Amino acid sequence: MSRKQTGLERMRRYAVARSLFGPTTLRQALEVFGFVQADPIRAPARAQDLTLRHRVAGYRAGDLDRRYAELDVHEDVFVNYGFVTGAVQALMHPRGRMNRWPGGAGRRVNALLAFVRERGVVHPREVDAHFSHGTVTNYWGGSSNATTHLLDALHYRGRLRVVRREAGIRIYTTHEHSTDRIDAAVRRARLDALVDVVVRTYAPLPSPSLAMLVRRLRYAVPQWQKDLSAALLRARGRLGRERIDDLDWYFPADESRADDPPNQVRLLAPFDPIVWDRRRFEMLWGWPYRFEAYTPVAKRKLGYYALPLLWRDRVIGWGNLAVVDDALTANFGYAGGRPPRERTFELSLEAEIESVRSFLRL
């Protein structure tokens, strides 16, 4: 007779099964999530590609970039920087008063927007060559090109849209959002919908994590930051909830509670929804995962870009993958000190490594 699962075991299985939905199209996967976090590091591929490869049939590294123009998807800030669907972006914009700029920036903004409208699509280099705005102090205390700074600000405010990237550089065109008046009822409805996107992407969420993510919506909707506490209270009242060890866990109320995770190995991105919340990670899997790309080498414990290693419904360790001379190298560490001794694990790990090779077109 099988042992009865604990509440945390059920929640762990649910977290894995609901996030790793069956392979679908890229368009449908983006619609399911609403938001996919981006990261520029390639080790061995960027985070958005590593995330999507588990959910999109036949996905290859770079497919999101290649198909970006044909998809209703936008680079934008949500709870982090990444890709949002058009429906999600419409909930966030316009961000505040579109024409209010400090100092004499308003004149530069209008001139820059007129230049982009005339050209249609621009590279930041073209804008800088035309205006030569100089430099400004950035958030990290260094010096940034003023044109880049202004383009970033206009992109964040929704006046510009990224149409594609060239060698990693954002290429812009102008963008307009609805200027219809947003009353209190519409504002509440939009905030509730944005919270639902957060929950759909990252559930199940322990209460502190739900609160943290709702607070992070201040990046998505800075104009409504004061309304986020009320949005959190409404969410706690309408979402599905289960109490485990004196802590409430939240998830979509109308979602079936499938709890059968795939019987295979998965190498996950550091920002994959399954492992993104480090608090939840340690609660569900009993060891602390840390992203160490910006940690001094001597202080790293897992590696530069350690990919959490999921086996069935357990994150049992991590892998460091790299492409050297067009060949994939991989080495692994295990939270318990050694890998599972099952032959099925060995075969599944081999299959996952081969899947990564295919994904990278090696």
Side-chain angles (χ1 to χ4, degrees):
M1 184 174 180
S2 62
R3 178 179 62 86
K4 184 177 180 181
Q5 292 180 2
T6 68
L8 276 180
E9 286 172 333
R10 290 197 314 275
M11 205 58 67
R12 181 180 66 229
R13 293 173 67 84
Y14 172 49
V16 172
R18 73 174 302 278
S19 186
L20 288 174
F21 47 83
T24 184
T25 66
L26 177 54
R27 191 183 304 274
Q28 288 172 333
L30 292 168
E31 289 294 333
V32 170
F33 277 142
F35 166 72
V36 175
Q37 185 170 338
D39 187 81
I41 296 174
R42 297 175 189 253
R46 291 169 300 183
Q48 56 268 35
D49 290 324
L50 291 168
T51 295
L52 290 166
R53 82 178 186 92
H54 292 298
R55 284 91 177 177
V56 177
Y59 190 87
R60 298 292 182 267
D63 278 356
L64 180 57
D65 275 354
R66 284 186 284 272
R67 296 188 55 196
Y68 179 86
E70 70 186 63
L71 298 165
D72 183 21
V73 66
H74 307 260
E75 287 195 33
D76 208 336
V77 178
F78 186 54
V79 293
N80 283 294
Y81 190 84
F83 298 87
V84 297
T85 61
V88 172
Q89 190 184 57
L91 296 171
M92 304 188 296
H93 288 276
R95 289 183 172 135
R97 297 186 178 182
M98 304 293 283
N99 298 317
R100 178 172 291 183
W101 295 86
R107 291 189 298 274
R108 293 197 298 272
V109 165
N110 290 333
L112 191 154
L113 288 173
F115 177 76
V116 179
R117 289 191 194 98
E118 179 184 347
R119 295 295 181 95
V121 174
V122 300
H123 190 291
R125 185 174 54 242
E126 297 176 64
V127 182
D128 189 53
H130 183 78
F131 291 104
S132 299
H133 283 317
T135 62
V136 294
T137 300
N138 65 25
Y139 295 116
W140 294 272
S143 182
S144 295
N145 184 281
T147 300
T148 300
H149 185 82
L150 194 54
L151 288 169
D152 286 346
L154 284 164
H155 178 215
Y156 180 68
R157 291 203 186 194
R159 303 297 302 274
L160 295 177
R161 176 181 183 271
V162 176
V163 292
R164 65 178 183 276
R165 285 186 179 244
E166 292 181 3
I169 304 298
R170 289 181 287 203
I171 309 301
Y172 295 100
T173 190
T174 55
H175 194 50
E176 300 295 336
H177 293 279
S178 171
T179 57
D180 293 344
R181 183 174 177 274
I182 299 174
D183 60 23
V186 172
R187 183 172 67 250
R188 285 194 298 271
R190 286 196 183 188
L191 283 169
D192 289 349
L194 288 169
V195 172
D196 287 346
V197 175
V198 164
V199 174
R200 189 169 72 237
T201 302
Y202 295 107
L205 287 163
S207 183
S209 296
L210 175 65
M212 176 268 292
L213 277 162
V214 172
R215 286 195 298 270
R216 288 187 70 88
L217 284 172
R218 66 187 182 275
Y219 303 121
V221 284
Q223 70 276 25
W224 298 331
Q225 184 171 342
K226 64 182 177 60
D227 299 301
L228 292 176
S229 294
L232 176 59
L233 287 175
R234 292 194 300 273
R236 285 176 170 155
R238 74 173 182 275
L239 292 171
R241 179 175 60 183
E242 181 176 342
R243 194 161 185 83
I244 301 171
D245 298 335
D246 297 322
L247 184 65
D248 287 330
W249 289 71
Y250 293 90
F251 41 84
D254 59 350
E255 188 172 88
S256 61
R257 294 289 300 277
D259 62 357
D260 293 323
N263 186 30
Q264 65 185 95
V265 166
R266 309 266 192 158
L267 283 161
L268 304 174
F271 309 112
D272 190 282
I274 292 175
V275 300
W276 181 87
D277 179 3
R278 306 305 189 235
R279 176 193 291 109
R280 190 186 81 163
F281 185 104
E282 195 161 353
M283 292 173 66
L284 293 182
W285 289 293
W287 61 278
Y289 168 75
R290 300 290 182 265
F291 178 62
E292 298 178 332
Y294 304 110
T295 301
V297 174
K299 295 184 178 181
R300 289 176 187 158
K301 297 180 179 179
L302 308 183
Y304 171 68
Y305 203 78
L307 305 178
L309 179 64
L310 178 70
W311 167 230
R312 296 175 177 150
D313 66 334
R314 301 271 184 158
V315 181
I316 60 172
W318 60 93
N320 283 282
L321 276 61
V323 177
V324 180
D325 296 329
D326 294 325
L328 182 67
T329 65
N331 52 75
F332 301 94
Y334 296 91
R338 63 186 184 188
R341 293 182 174 178
E342 303 169 62
R343 178 61 176 159
T344 50
F345 170 77
E346 295 177 10
L347 294 172
S348 190
L349 180 58
E350 291 172 5
E352 175 66 345
I353 294 171
E354 186 56 39
S355 175
V356 173
R357 288 193 183 97
S358 178
F359 158 74
L360 296 172
R361 302 178 188 273
L362 296 177

